[in-house]
Amino acid sequence: MTIHSNGIKGELLVTYKIQKAAVLGSGVMGSGIAAHLANIGIPTLLLDIVPKDVTPEEQAKGLTLAHPAVRNKFATTALQKLTKQKPAPLTSKNNLALITAGNLEDDLDKLKDVDWIIEVVVENLAIKQNLYQKIDAVRAPHTIVSSNTSGISINAMAEGRSEGFQKHFLGTHFFNPPRYLKLLEVIPAHTTDEEVVQFMKKFGEDELGKGVVLAKDTPNFIGNRIGTYGLLVTVQEMLKRGYSVGEVDAVTGPLIGRPKSATFRTLDVVGLDTFLHVAKNVYDQTTGDEQQVFAVPDFISKMVENGWLGAKSGQGFFVKKGKEIFEINPETLEYSEVKKLKTPSMAQAKQVKGLANRVKLLTYTEDRTGELLWHILAPTLLYAAQLHGEIADDIVAIDNAMKWGFGWAQGPFEIWDALDVAQSVEKMRAEGHTIPTFVEDMLAKGFTSFYSEIDGDVAYYDGSQYTKVPVNEKEIDLKRYKKKHGVIKSNSGASLIDLGDGVALLEFHSQSNAIGLDIIQMINYAVDEVEKNYKGLVIGNQGKNFCVGANLGMILMEAQDDNIFELDFTIKAFQDAMMRIKYANKPVVAAPFAMTLGGGAEVCLPAAHIQASMETYMGLVEVGVGLIPGGGGNKGLYEKFLKGLPTGVEVDYQYIANKVFETIAMAKVSTSGEEARDNNFLDFADGISVNPDHQIYDAKQAALSLYESGYVTPKREKVIVTGASGYGTLFMGARGLYESGFISEHDLFIAKKLAYVIAGGEVPYGTAVDEQYLLNLERQAFLELVAHPLSQQRMQHMLVKGKPLRN
């Protein structure tokens, strides 16, 4: 990304462009940031200190402290760990080639060639300042320097540095793991150029794919300040009111829009030692009642002394013994069976639609759930309002920090709106709480909520009036967009939306976005409409997953009722709809993300372009339920392989058939968009959006680009297959696995059907066959498998248990 600016309108002097970066510090966080930079294609130096000693193993190899292998050891070891960590920091192992290991003595001079230096060393001000002095001596005038500190003052770190350094220095606090957590806190120093701040905000959103909040240089910034406060209030209320660890987690998780890890499982994942460090940082910089909240209870300090640090030590608030999980008793530090809170309000809440309504019901109900929630939420909301203006300029930054960094579905001020601000304030006053002036003034002016709407857009209370929430131009919120602009046509499974600029969007919204006849009907309608009146079509949505496949329950029901004719009709309709996508006279762009399985992948394969998300988990997984792809997936993946080959080279069709067979038979699912490309679901021309909020925009631009470059409908061409000899090769490989005991007899039966379809039947090797011929083979095999009792058992097991059955 490039931004030209010097702060004077009409005059462009400074160009900020990040083409190379350096990360200083190769611990889990530093190496994770380096991995994320590599994921977006930025060559990165990863530097660490030089070891003080040589290990016996190194001595045995004749190595000394002068050898590069020893001097670069910490960074090199960190790179090796990147390929083994779970969840994977790299979107593709190939990205490792973009990271170069080195050390802070021999390679310091290389920093003059990078555009961004990120410091991620130990949280010690003196150590950081010493490192900055060295950086200051070698950095180029344009180079941005930032710290990933989670709490040390940005202004204190900048002290004593040159004017150029100070203008280009700020905090960039990633949350761990950097690839997956959305939040990036950007914290300017008093001396930071505004142009640098704005560049890093836009770069963070557009290139790093983050949700960026501008934070002020205060203890622990935004996320950790409020998040730690909320966690400690919860612990203190648990002790005060006699709840167990398990009871608290039963209430403070998905029930109120928080992650499954709730409170204490979250602390186990974070690590109790890390939590203590973060809490102490605020404790040391605050006073009075606020400071007392950050005083960690003695039992947690004792747990840390015992080495019970959570997940990394195998024991924390919870411990697993065999297959059973036990919770700690804070009074005795002994473990017992996990207790779960069950109250009438919790049962009632499950019937309530909408998170805001559910939270309000639970919080105001006078039972054990309501008592706990009120005494957790009330102080946290008051604290967030008290810090308004101190830790951030607006409530939006505070809410977004908690949503993006801690996985809250609603930020503090959104929760307050859900509780009804006036009603909650009345109860708070009755209990003797002091209401922050910011809130009192808002209510006095007649504003009853922190958020409202202006012209259909979200607006927030800015201290005097409602102001529209600033939104990146690339961010399209489909729910709000539809509310504002309406839809062209809709049914139970999908809607067609006018995205503007001549592009339409087909949005799936069935249960789990599973494909049924309603979606197939809307695909056909969408293609008809776009061919007549639009420049292109995007197929995308903003649900939990793009599409988990076909409606398995419907397929099983029809199969058990022996309605094979109905299934044949449905599968044929699905295949025909996929061919309409492929041969539409306007470009169709698929925008897959998260789970894109079975039929979801089949929707993408015939598209003119795929604009995947970085986190796209794509695969043809039908063998897991005793079937093979039925909507053209076998043919589609085979063609994708062929499309990726350079022209003018001799093609080994058997090799391609083998790879397609292996991918489908093993139900391989990519762990990223890049891996989907490695597995040939994406080709070289397909795109990957790093920021999921920008994916619909990116897909729209791809459709427009195809149209404006003179998009031509693909020619209907025959497909060269391996035929009988290829079928024999594929089947013999599967038979070998069966005879070795690796697969069951029914697995072999499925593999036989799959091999026959991929090979194109019993025609001679190298025969060019029609697409419809391959689709007919696929549909026939699918119907034979769906009628098989053992496949029906697998489908039933998946629907009931949620995991594959091997029978």
Side-chain angles (χ1 to χ4, degrees):
M1 166 176 285
T2 305
I3 286 185
H4 303 273
S5 179
N6 73 336
I8 303 172
K9 286 186 178 180
E11 193 175 347
L12 306 179
L13 297 179
V14 180
T15 299
Y16 293 115
K17 188 174 185 179
I18 294 177
Q19 294 177 308
K20 293 177 70 176
V23 177
L24 313 185
S26 66
V28 171
M29 197 69 195
S31 61
I33 292 171
H36 190 64
L37 291 170
N39 289 339
I40 63 172
I42 295 178
T44 302
L45 282 171
L46 181 62
L47 309 183
D48 211 320
I49 59 173
V50 174
K52 295 180 179 178
D53 302 301
V54 179
T55 65
E57 292 80 9
E58 289 166 341
Q59 285 180 331
K61 295 177 183 177
L63 301 176
T64 68
L65 279 175
H67 197 283
V70 176
R71 297 179 71 78
N72 298 341
K73 177 172 61 178
F74 292 139
T76 302
T77 302
L79 293 186
Q80 293 167 349
K81 289 179 179 178
L82 285 178
T83 60
K84 300 171 185 175
Q85 287 177 27
K86 290 185 179 180
L90 295 164
T91 55
S92 171
K93 291 182 179 180
N94 297 331
N95 296 339
L96 198 63
L98 287 170
I99 309 175
T100 303
N103 68 76
L104 289 167
E105 292 180 15
D106 305 326
D107 301 304
L108 202 65
D109 192 56
K110 294 179 181 178
L111 297 182
K112 71 179 187 299
D113 298 322
V114 306
D115 307 298
W116 182 21
I117 300 168
I118 312 162
E119 169 270 305
V120 201
V121 302
V122 63
E123 290 285 73
N124 180 293
L125 179 58
I127 291 174
K128 290 177 186 288
Q129 287 180 323
N130 181 56
L131 179 57
Y132 294 148
Q133 184 177 1
K134 296 175 181 177
I135 294 170
D136 206 353
V138 296
R139 63 172 284 276
H142 72 281
T143 301
I144 295 169
V145 183
S146 69
S147 174
N148 185 64
T149 181
S150 59
I152 294 180
S153 169
I154 304 300
N155 287 298
M157 286 190 281
E159 287 178 5
R161 300 280 53 83
S162 68
E163 182 182 355
F165 183 102
Q166 290 182 337
K167 284 183 175 181
H168 292 82
F169 179 71
L170 70 169
T172 51
H173 182 213
F174 290 80
F175 275 59
N176 194 32
R179 170 183 163 184
Y180 299 95
L181 282 192
K182 184 174 180 177
L183 180 60
L184 174 65
E185 292 177 320
V186 170
I187 313 102
H190 297 318
T191 56
T192 313
D193 266 359
E194 180 61 22
E195 290 76 22
V196 172
V197 177
Q198 293 306 318
F199 168 76
M200 288 307 299
K201 182 178 188 300
K202 191 154 180 59
F203 178 81
E205 291 172 349
D206 292 355
E207 304 299 318
L208 294 174
K210 297 298 177 186
V212 178
V213 299
L214 295 180
K216 296 192 176 184
D217 187 20
T218 55
N220 286 18
F221 313 127
I222 302 175
N224 280 342
R225 180 79 170 269
I226 293 176
T228 305
Y229 184 94
L231 287 167
L232 282 167
V233 164
T234 303
V235 174
Q236 290 158 8
E237 287 300 322
M238 174 190 73
L239 297 174
K240 182 179 178 181
R241 299 177 188 281
Y243 292 87
S244 77
V245 164
E247 286 177 328
V248 171
D249 271 11
V251 176
T252 59
L255 190 68
I256 60 167
R258 303 283 173 84
K260 287 183 180 179
S261 55
T263 299
F264 292 103
R265 289 187 194 278
T266 294
L267 290 172
D268 273 353
V269 171
V270 169
L272 273 66
D273 52 343
T274 302
F275 179 64
L276 250 65
H277 170 79
V278 173
K280 185 178 184 303
N281 189 53
V282 184
Y283 180 87
D284 290 343
Q285 299 182 67
T286 51
T287 58
D289 292 341
E290 180 182 8
Q291 185 184 56
Q292 290 312 303
V293 174
F294 288 95
V296 175
D298 290 340
F299 86 95
I300 297 181
S301 298
K302 182 64 177 175
M303 289 171 69
V304 173
E305 288 174 21
N306 292 346
W308 302 348
L309 307 179
K312 57 181 149 186
S313 67
Q315 181 176 352
F317 290 104
F318 296 94
V319 65
K320 191 172 184 179
K321 299 178 181 180
K323 293 185 177 180
E324 297 294 319
I325 296 175
F326 297 86
E327 65 178 23
I328 200 164
N329 182 322
E331 294 182 2
T332 65
L333 294 188
E334 295 176 348
Y335 289 89
S336 59
E337 289 185 3
V338 176
K339 303 180 188 69
K340 290 191 176 181
L341 192 64
K342 294 182 179 179
T343 62
S345 65
M346 292 175 74
Q348 186 181 351
K350 292 177 181 177
Q351 311 303 318
V352 174
K353 288 187 177 181
L355 176 61
N357 294 328
R358 187 164 73 240
V359 170
K360 185 176 183 180
L361 167 74
L362 289 166
T363 305
Y364 286 130
T365 301
E366 294 184 2
D367 63 10
R368 291 267 288 165
T369 299
E371 180 185 38
L372 177 64
L373 277 180
W374 173 257
H375 288 99
I376 289 171
L377 291 178
T380 304
L381 302 184
L382 289 166
Y383 189 61
Q386 178 188 326
L387 292 176
H388 172 263
E390 178 185 336
I391 62 174
D393 284 330
D394 55 66
I395 64 171
V396 180
I398 294 173
D399 278 350
N400 284 340
M402 300 316 300
K403 291 190 288 186
W404 296 340
F406 282 76
W408 293 13
Q410 297 175 310
F413 296 96
E414 291 170 321
I415 294 171
W416 214 332
D417 277 353
L419 295 181
D420 186 308
V421 181
Q423 182 181 349
S424 63
V425 165
E426 184 179 346
K427 185 174 181 179
M428 290 169 181
R429 285 200 194 105
E431 293 178 350
H433 291 290
T434 301
I435 309 302
T437 304
F438 171 67
V439 181
E440 292 279 25
D441 287 350
M442 184 185 83
L443 291 173
K445 290 175 182 176
F447 297 108
T448 58
S449 64
F450 291 103
Y451 289 95
S452 185
E453 284 190 356
I454 297 176
D455 301 328
D457 295 320
V458 181
Y460 70 98
Y461 178 69
D462 67 3
S464 61
Q465 61 184 358
Y466 287 121
T467 301
K468 282 189 180 184
V469 174
V471 176
N472 188 306
E473 63 178 7
K474 296 180 180 180
E475 186 176 330
I476 298 173
D477 183 327
L478 289 180
K479 184 177 180 181
R480 185 156 293 278
Y481 190 92
K482 286 191 296 182
K483 186 177 179 182
K484 190 173 181 179
H485 299 284
V487 299
I488 300 168
K489 186 174 182 177
S490 183
N491 66 17
S492 58
S495 296
L496 188 64
I497 305 161
D498 187 336
L499 274 185
D501 301 316
V503 177
L505 177 128
L506 179 63
E507 177 196 27
F508 296 171
H509 47 64
S510 61
Q511 186 173 357
S512 299
N513 287 342
I515 297 171
L517 281 171
D518 48 2
I519 284 181
I520 294 171
Q521 183 184 48
M522 282 300 297
I523 289 173
N524 286 315
Y525 175 83
V527 173
D528 284 341
E529 181 68 18
V530 167
E531 286 187 327
K532 294 175 188 173
N533 301 313
Y534 289 84
K535 297 177 180 179
L537 173 68
V538 172
I539 301 177
N541 64 78
Q542 291 173 340
K544 183 179 179 182
N545 297 297
F546 175 74
C547 176
V548 298
N551 188 331
L552 188 62
M554 180 274 292
I555 292 172
L556 178 60
M557 182 176 66
E558 296 288 0
Q560 289 176 334
D561 290 345
D562 203 27
N563 288 334
I564 301 302
F565 176 80
E566 291 290 336
L567 277 173
D568 187 19
F569 171 81
T570 302
I571 300 305
K572 177 68 164 60
F574 185 29
Q575 290 181 343
D576 290 346
M578 297 306 96
M579 289 302 94
R580 294 219 57 202
I581 290 173
K582 182 175 181 179
Y583 293 112
N585 64 28
K586 302 287 177 60
V588 178
V589 176
F593 63 93
M595 293 297 182
T596 303
L597 306 176
E602 288 179 301
V603 167
C604 298
L605 287 168
H609 180 87
I610 298 175
Q611 186 66 37
S613 167
M614 176 181 275
E615 301 306 326
T616 300
Y617 315 128
M618 183 180 281
L620 295 166
V621 296
E622 285 83 353
V623 294
V625 291
L627 305 172
I628 68 168
N634 307 284
K635 176 186 74 69
L637 186 58
Y638 184 77
E639 288 179 314
K640 271 282 188 181
F641 265 86
L642 290 174
K643 186 178 178 182
L645 295 174
T647 57
V649 299
E650 188 174 342
V651 179
D652 183 350
Y653 292 100
Q654 186 61 59
Y655 171 79
I656 294 171
N658 291 349
K659 295 298 289 185
V660 173
F661 179 80
E662 178 185 308
T663 300
I664 299 174
M666 295 179 68
K668 285 186 179 180
V669 177
S670 68
T671 59
S672 67
E674 280 293 342
E675 196 170 280
R677 197 192 305 278
D678 294 341
N679 292 347
N680 285 282
F681 284 93
L682 275 62
D683 60 38
F684 64 92
D686 292 325
I688 295 175
S689 295
V690 181
N691 192 326
D693 294 337
H694 299 179
Q695 187 185 14
I696 297 296
Y697 173 89
D698 293 341
K700 175 183 172 180
Q701 298 310 307
L704 285 171
S705 178
L706 285 168
Y707 175 83
E708 288 163 4
S709 62
Y711 181 73
V712 177
T713 305
K715 293 180 181 178
R716 293 183 180 266
E717 297 177 341
K718 292 188 174 184
V719 182
I720 298 175
V721 295
T722 57
S725 63
Y727 165 62
T729 300
L730 294 175
F731 180 62
M732 287 305 294
R735 187 166 188 85
L737 290 174
Y738 168 69
E739 291 174 350
S740 301
F742 289 107
I743 63 175
S744 69
E745 186 174 352
H746 191 55
D747 288 327
L748 180 62
F749 180 72
I750 298 168
K752 183 178 181 181
K753 297 293 180 186
L754 178 62
Y756 193 79
V757 169
I758 290 172
E762 298 190 18
V763 298
Y765 179 93
T767 300
V769 300
D770 291 328
E771 284 183 282
Q772 191 59 53
Y773 165 79
L774 290 175
L775 291 173
N776 291 344
L777 286 181
E778 183 174 306
R779 192 169 74 258
Q780 182 181 350
F782 181 92
L783 294 171
E784 288 174 5
L785 286 168
V786 84
H788 199 291
L790 292 179
S791 285
Q792 291 180 15
Q793 286 179 18
R794 292 190 178 193
M795 287 186 275
Q796 183 78 36
H797 192 270
M798 178 61 75
L799 288 167
V800 175
K801 302 287 186 180
K803 55 186 179 181
L805 170 68
R806 290 295 174 217
N807 55 352

